[in-house]
Structures are given as C-alpha cells and as structure tokens.
C-alpha cells in the first residue's frame, strides 16, 4: 500500500519565523527533529509533498519568485541528504480572501491528487503545527499529527481534529 505524507512547512520542516516570512535562503533554518527523521520518513512514505500557506506573497512582503527560490533550494538540499519531496504546493492568498487553497481549505490536497493520481487520502498522513493543518487533514480523511503547542486558543480544534499530539515529528515517526 502506497502511503503519502503531507507536510506543513513552517514549524515542521523549517524553523518558524515569528511575525515574519522566509524571504530568502539565509532565513531558512531546517528543524533538527525533521533532519533526524529523514531515514524514517523515507522508510514509511512513498510520496512526500509540502502544503504551505504563504500570505506574505499577497501582503507584498515577499514575491512568488522569492518563495520559488527558497523552495528549489530546500528541495535540492533535502535531496542531497536523501529525501525526495515530490512537490511543494503554495497558497499565496490572504487569509479571508476566500480562496479554495488556503488551509484549512483542501485545494492543495486536491491539486496533489490531480498531479499524482495514486495518492489515496485514506492512506495519507498530515503533519502540522497549527489548527488549520489538522482541519485540512481531517477534511481529507487523512491521519492527522499535531506537533505544535496546545493552547487555550487552539485546544478545541486541535483535540477535535488530531489523531496524534506529539512534541516533534521524530517522536511520531519513531513510533511507526
Ligand atoms: Mg506551520
Ligand atoms: Zn489560496
């Protein structure tokens, strides 16, 4: 059975910049627990895609080209370390703009399925650090893994939509 992993980017693959966006490769710092998880991610998943909300583009804080450059670098960097990411999907729109691709909407999952028709959501896992990631995964019928902090603000949505709540991606993947 082919399994697909859907990954959020900021706070999962790379360190989240508080109140800012990754605009160039010097601002991209890969998380330690993600790096450590690479061999196990390869073993457990036949396909891996990243789905990321980047409203900094709509805000004019960074351009699509900035984001593309960072993503090409990220793909190459991970490939050198043995991890193939099949594709990175980006929602460039503002929160509240009503697009169908910003998580928790599932447009990026549908796009991935259109690109790779053998993706089966019932055999997919979504790993993220925000409530919208968990809602996205749950709406698609994926297994959902929350690796962020449960707070008073997000508790209700997280508890309702997360199959696993763990402290790191490594904690989840090392238990598989
Ligand atoms: Mg995130
Ligand atoms: Zn969008």
């Amino acid at each position: 059975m082919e399994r697909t992993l859907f990954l959020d980017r900021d706070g999962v693959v790379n360190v989240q910049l508080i109140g800012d966006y990754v605009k160039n490769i010097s601002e991209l710092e890969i998380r330690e627990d993600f790096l450590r998880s690479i061999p196990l991610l390869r073993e457990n998943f036949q396909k891996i895609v990243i789905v990321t909300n980047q409203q900094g583009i709509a805000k004019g804080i960074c351009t699509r080209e900035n984001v593309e450059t960072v993503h090409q670098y990220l793909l190459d960097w991970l490939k050198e370390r043995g991890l193939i990411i099949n594709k990175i999907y980006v929602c460039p729109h503002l929160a509240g703009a009503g697009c169908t691709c910003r998580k928790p909407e599932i447009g990026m999952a549908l796009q991935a399925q259109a690109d790779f028709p053998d993706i089966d959501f019932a055999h997919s896992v979504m790993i993220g650090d925000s409530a919208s990631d968990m809602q996205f995964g749950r709406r698609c019928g994926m297994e959902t893994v929350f690796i962020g902090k449960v707070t008073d603000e997000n508790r209700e949505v997280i508890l309702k939509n997360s199959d696993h709540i763990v402290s790191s991606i490594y904690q989840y993947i090392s238990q598989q």
Side-chain angles (χ1 to χ4, degrees):
M1 185 56 66
E2 174 155 317
R3 295 179 81 211
T4 300
L5 177 61
F6 285 77
L7 289 170
D8 174 42
R9 195 195 80 180
D10 299 316
V12 175
V13 177
N14 58 279
V15 176
Q16 169 121 40
L17 300 180
I18 303 303
D20 199 3
Y21 299 87
V22 176
K23 302 177 289 298
N24 53 65
I25 57 173
S26 69
E27 295 175 332
L28 184 74
E29 184 187 346
I30 308 300
R31 284 173 57 103
E32 200 53 54
D33 63 312
F34 183 79
L35 257 185
R36 204 148 52 98
S37 301
I38 285 178
L40 291 167
L41 294 174
R42 279 177 50 172
E43 256 175 56
N44 281 275
F45 297 99
Q46 286 67 52
K47 251 185 209 73
I48 303 177
V49 298
I50 293 174
V51 284
T52 181
N53 290 347
Q54 294 298 330
Q55 64 170 342
I57 297 171
K59 290 177 177 176
I61 294 168
C62 52
T63 64
R64 279 176 195 264
E65 290 70 28
N66 294 150
V67 172
E68 290 281 314
T69 302
V70 168
H71 285 174
Q72 194 51 56
Y73 175 84
L74 177 63
L75 292 176
D76 293 342
W77 195 90
L78 290 173
K79 194 174 174 184
E80 276 172 34
R81 283 153 186 82
L83 191 71
I84 306 286
I85 302 288
N86 297 90
K87 196 159 174 174
I88 302 179
Y89 296 92
V90 177
C91 166
H93 306 116
L94 282 177
C99 75
T100 56
C101 47
R102 185 178 167 84
K103 295 174 289 183
E105 299 302 322
I106 64 167
M108 292 191 285
L110 298 176
Q111 187 57 53
Q113 205 176 41
D115 291 338
F116 305 101
D118 48 350
I119 288 180
D120 178 355
F121 293 152
H123 295 99
S124 298
V125 177
M126 174 68 201
I127 301 181
D129 71 335
S130 70
S132 61
D133 295 322
M134 298 302 95
Q135 290 171 303
F136 167 92
R138 181 55 59 86
R139 285 177 185 178
C140 294
M142 300 174 188
E143 183 179 332
T144 54
V145 181
F146 182 70
I147 65 165
K149 288 207 168 60
V150 179
T151 63
D152 287 342
E153 206 179 312
N154 69 19
R155 178 169 287 110
E156 197 182 333
V157 179
I158 296 300
L159 295 183
K160 186 166 169 239
N161 295 288
S162 306
D163 296 312
H164 311 271
I165 298 175
V166 289
S167 62
S168 71
I169 189 169
Y170 188 78
Q171 190 192 344
Y172 167 72
I173 201 70
S174 61
Q175 288 169 356
Q176 294 306 293

